[in-house]
Amino acid sequence: MESKKEFFLECYKLGIIKFGRFTLKSGIESPFYVDLRPLASDPKILKKLANYLLEMLPLDNFDIICGVPYAALPMATAMSLESFIPLIIKRKEAKAYGTKKLIEGIYEKGQNCLLVEDVITSGKSLVETIDEVENEGIKVSDIVVVLDRQQGGKEKLEAKGYKVHSLFNITEVVEILREVNYIDEDEVARIQDFVSGNQVVFEEKKRLSYEQKLEVAEHSFAKKILEIAIEKRSNLIASADFITTKELLEFADFVGPHIVALKTHIDILNDFDADETILPLKDLATKHNFLLMEDRKFADIGNTQELQFSYGTYKISNWADLVTSHVIGGSKSLDCFMNVGVVAILGMSSKGTLTDSHYREEALKVIESHPSIIGCVAQNEISDQLLLFTPGVNLGETGDDKGQQYNSPEHVIKNYGTDFIIVGRGIYKSEEPEQEALRYKNEGWKAYLETL
């Protein structure tokens, strides 16, 4: 294969970089303009480009490839053809008909995706694409770009934990063009001055602090969990998936000082008894100042949900502070939940879940308008007016053989805007649950502080 310099000069002849005075999308006047779309019109160059990009990468790390629309789509397609790594397609916006999907193609949750971009400036389009790809349960670890304008985008993404591989940067390109006398020293100096003086860091939306969310919270249990978080400096909810009351109560006492809520599946207890189970559990919640969150995941018509909530063996309405519920029954089905905070199921962390982008879009309309809902269980960013609860958090594992997918506290808090991390087996299956709870509490709080 020819040298990188020779390859670039071959590309340059297609008019991919122009020099002069150009007003960019940001409104800044630039002495150069980069447009790599002409590369797709030359099949030989596109094929060479694909191979140059592939040579830079640890290909065994990727299950699928995705190009950032639109200029990178032919590049990603060529890379897929050359490497036999499957391609998925990211739309600029979802269709208003049909499946209404943003991500097209065959993929599975938990797969690792390589993102392809033509030019990186601020990195904003890549951040937006990462959010939308990861909303589908796909993991992004590496990004490959053809040209880095060296204006801050690469560093921004690397600071967020992504590996960014660039084939060329603007300094390299300018040096090549000067060597062959395509530009003069004055042009080189202008470009260097522009790059050093125009570092572009797009303004990411700042997350609201717990104190700020408390000021605008309306529901009493939204206020309560935020008050506990502030007082205990914790955003940890521990799952207590035990089948005996003794185990449940011992665990609650161990982890109680470090959590804002204890998440139960009360119906899996073999020896449930209201007096022997619920009364001491409520005493522990008072002693250690945490809420009781029954993860019932209601999913029925309103009348049935009311009976399940208030009657039967468990009488959840008598003791739970928070309950989880799907919204598949529509807004009216949620009216039965009185004197409790509802955490709606917007997305699930298991492999193959059907909570796709269309479902989430429709579910959010219900969630944002219902007064009993204080937040969502989800794997993606939501409105600041809602609290985000994210399960599938683990410091040591990436998944299990039943389809569970895990993320670290840092990942979900920094990338999803998670308010409360839900940790299950990482704590209750450990040999020292109290110490593990403290570790997750500290990691979660540290990640939260770093986002402010």
Side-chain angles (χ1 to χ4, degrees), residues 91-105:
R91 291 182 175 276
K92 197 89 169 180
E93 58 278 317
K95 294 186 296 184
Y97 55 89
T99 62
K100 302 183 180 181
K101 294 172 70 175
L102 271 171
I103 309 295
E104 303 282 2

Side-chain angles (χ1 to χ4, degrees), residues 66 88 103 113 115 129-138 140:
C66 180
I88 60 172
I103 309 295
C113 178
L115 280 191
T129 300
I130 289 168
D131 287 344
E132 288 158 350
V133 169
E134 291 191 338
N135 280 349
E136 297 299 317
I138 302 167
V140 175

Side-chain angles (χ1 to χ4, degrees), residues 286-393:
T286 300
K287 172 185 174 183
H288 295 301
N289 190 23
F290 61 80
L291 300 183
L292 295 175
M293 178 180 180
E294 169 52 22
D295 193 11
R296 177 62 177 75
K297 294 187 177 73
F298 293 93
D300 216 313
I301 61 172
N303 184 65
T304 301
Q305 291 191 159
E306 182 174 9
L307 295 173
Q308 293 169 330
F309 178 53
S310 299
Y311 299 94
T313 301
Y314 305 110
K315 295 184 175 59
I316 295 168
S317 63
N318 287 355
W319 55 271
D321 303 306
L322 308 173
V323 296
T324 57
S325 177
H326 291 280
V327 298
I328 196 167
S331 182
K332 294 295 290 181
S333 71
L334 303 170
D335 291 347
C336 63
F337 298 119
M338 305 295 291
N339 303 315
V340 69
V342 177
V343 180
I345 309 298
L346 182 62
M348 299 179 71
S349 59
S350 56
K351 185 176 180 180
T353 179
L354 301 181
T355 51
D356 61 11
S357 57
H358 174 61
Y359 175 85
R360 291 194 299 271
E361 181 183 344
E362 295 302 313
L364 268 176
K365 294 176 184 176
V366 175
I367 290 166
E368 290 175 343
S369 63
H370 201 284
S372 292
I373 295 178
I374 69 167
C376 301
V377 172
Q379 303 284 327
N380 54 280
E381 191 173 358
I382 57 171
S383 164
D384 282 336
Q385 305 308 310
L386 295 164
L387 300 176
L388 177 54
F389 299 74
T390 301
V393 174

